[in-house]
Amino acid sequence: DGGITQSPKYLFRKEGQNVTLSCEQNLNHDAMYWYRQDPGQGLRLIYYSQIVNDFQKGDIAEGYSVSREKKESFPLTVTSAQKNPTAFYLCASMSLPGNTIYFGEGSWLTVV
Amino acid sequence: KQEVTQIPAALSVPEGENLVLNCSFTDSAIYNLQWFRQDPGKGLTSLLLIQSSQREQTSGRLNASLDKSSGRSTLYIAASQPGDSATYLCAVMNGNKLVFGAGTILRVKS
């Protein structure tokens, strides 16, 4: 089946650790996005990428890093510099501007 | 900077009622507007996409309108059902980015 796969579904991070969230899509989409969702709030854009080996910061990029070495993959690393990382993280992809955007099922990250 | 506001924040209605969710945005230079549904702890599912040149889109019991000049969109749900209970989010595309509202939490009581 075509779609977007995020893993893991649940992740716990200790203070000072870096963790990486995986996002894979088999929709042959060029653009991929990472959003963060906090309770009672809308989605906020962390990073996005329109082509391989290129990505841009979104509105809340501090403390996060990404890579886009393959069209299908757009992993997000939450670094120790992100002081409040507990949130629901959503990955998305889109074929062209103006088309429907598709979301993965999300990953819950909790700091312990 | 584009800002998207959704009203009301939460809504509870009896089954069978028709209802309207509202979305407003500050910058009318949008590429399109989309409405999404989100179930608790899940990703988003696209419901309707309205291009900037369109006035409305319909899918089953859902109808979304767009008035770009006034910066408003409405999502109309006819004959609501308990299965419609979810959070509904609208988002506008500016350039290459989607900007989201905070959502409306809908509960349909049986």
Side-chain angles (χ1 to χ4, degrees):
Chain A
D1 286 350
I4 302 175
T5 302
Q6 290 188 238
S7 63
K9 179 68 176 178
Y10 301 96
L11 185 61
F12 298 91
R13 191 193 92 169
K14 294 181 180 179
E15 296 282 350
Q17 258 187 349
N18 293 351
V19 293
T20 297
L21 306 180
S22 170
C23 178
E24 303 278 334
Q25 55 100 358
N26 59 7
L27 300 167
N28 199 34
H29 287 171
D30 291 306
M32 296 187 74
Y33 304 80
W34 273 106
Y35 287 91
R36 168 180 172 145
Q37 188 177 32
D38 294 282
Q41 297 189 31
L43 279 66
R44 292 183 290 168
L45 182 63
I46 304 172
Y47 269 98
Y48 66 103
S49 168
Q50 293 182 277
I51 57 172
V52 174
N53 292 322
D54 187 48
F55 47 82
Q56 286 79 42
K57 293 182 179 180
D59 300 317
I60 55 166
E62 185 175 352
Y64 300 97
S65 66
V66 293
S67 63
R68 188 85 187 277
E69 298 176 0
K70 299 186 298 181
K71 188 176 185 178
E72 307 79 32
S73 179
F74 192 40
L76 173 73
T77 296
V78 185
T79 74
S80 56
Q82 171 49 240
K83 297 308 178 187
N84 185 23
T86 296
F88 189 49
Y89 291 86
L90 287 158
C91 178
S93 71
M94 185 167 60
S95 59
L96 288 171
N99 287 351
T100 299
I101 189 168
Y102 294 87
F103 282 84
E105 284 295 294
S107 293
W108 290 93
L109 174 62
T110 303
V111 174
V112 296
Chain B
K1 180 183 174 184
Q2 177 74 269
E3 293 183 1
V4 180
T5 303
Q6 291 188 245
I7 294 173
L11 183 62
S12 182
V13 300
E15 181 178 6
E17 265 201 17
N18 302 326
L19 58 99
V20 175
L21 308 182
N22 297 290
C23 173
S24 63
F25 46 95
T26 54
D27 182 354
S28 62
I30 63 170
Y31 201 84
N32 61 40
L33 182 143
Q34 299 185 46
W35 282 93
F36 296 87
R37 170 186 172 134
Q38 185 178 30
D39 293 297
K42 300 288 188 181
L44 277 66
T45 300
S46 180
L47 298 172
L48 291 164
L49 182 153
I50 310 176
Q51 301 292 355
S52 62
S53 59
Q54 297 175 321
R55 297 284 292 181
E56 66 176 348
Q57 282 286 342
T58 298
S59 176
R61 293 183 293 109
L62 306 179
N63 175 276
S65 68
L66 174 63
D67 184 343
K68 215 173 67 163
S69 61
S70 67
R72 295 180 183 178
S73 175
T74 61
L75 178 66
Y76 176 83
I77 303 177
S80 59
Q81 303 170 357
D84 294 331
S85 298
T87 298
Y88 291 81
L89 298 106
C90 74
V92 296
M93 176 148 274
N94 275 122
N96 301 315
K97 300 187 291 184
L98 268 179
V99 180
F100 283 83
T104 294
I105 302 171
L106 173 63
R107 180 187 172 208
V108 181
K109 299 172 288 186
S110 56

